[in-house]
Amino acid sequence: QVQLVESGGGLVQAGGSLRLSCAASGRTFSSYDMGWFRQAPGKDRDFVARISSTGGATYYADSMKGRFTISRDNAKNTVYLQMSSLKPEDTAVYYCAAGIGLSAIVTSVRYWGQGTQVTVSS
């Protein structure tokens, strides 16, 4: 069992930056691929980024490449999402995700966090 708790969301102006954190419980954190998804009001939950269990490989949705960076610290059981050059269309609830063989598809997620709101004002 893995519990995920996100933090770091908030209100930011367009062009600004935020760093999201996701703290995981349990001793098996380093066994899981980790990722971030987001969901805007009235829309589906979409893939943002993922990182392999060792941190050696990262993947991003096309619209996030060059603006977002995912990283993890297995010693701290924490995964991060550094977001820069934020746009109003980045406004959404951001969810931390864990899974074995995690992909960009929501059904590959085994554990979800509760979500953290990110609002980007224009």
Side-chain angles (χ1 to χ4, degrees):
Q1 185 76 12
V2 175
Q3 292 185 325
L4 305 173
V5 179
E6 302 97 333
S7 61
L11 174 64
V12 63
Q13 289 188 332
S17 299
L18 276 177
R19 188 176 83 154
L20 306 183
S21 299
C22 172
S25 66
R27 294 176 291 178
T28 59
F29 175 77
S30 61
S31 300
Y32 288 90
D33 301 328
M34 299 295 296
W36 292 92
F37 289 72
R38 70 185 186 184
Q39 188 166 20
K43 295 189 177 182
D44 293 335
R45 191 169 297 190
D46 292 330
F47 169 73
V48 173
R50 61 186 173 99
I51 186 167
S52 62
S53 58
T54 63
T58 57
Y59 306 88
Y60 299 90
D62 286 345
S63 61
M64 286 70 169
K65 289 179 181 177
R67 299 191 302 124
F68 291 9
T69 302
I70 188 170
S71 61
R72 66 189 295 163
D73 185 338
N74 284 350
K76 295 183 178 180
N77 280 15
T78 302
V79 62
Y80 306 97
L81 184 68
Q82 178 68 49
M83 305 184 293
S84 60
S85 302
L86 284 162
K87 307 173 183 179
E89 51 264 43
D90 293 318
T91 295
V93 177
Y94 283 71
Y95 295 91
C96 182
I100 304 296
L102 185 72
S103 73
I105 303 171
V106 295
T107 53
S108 71
V109 177
R110 183 169 183 181
Y111 300 105
W112 290 102
Q114 83 288 353
T116 186
Q117 177 70 47
V118 171
T119 302
V120 184
S121 63
S122 57

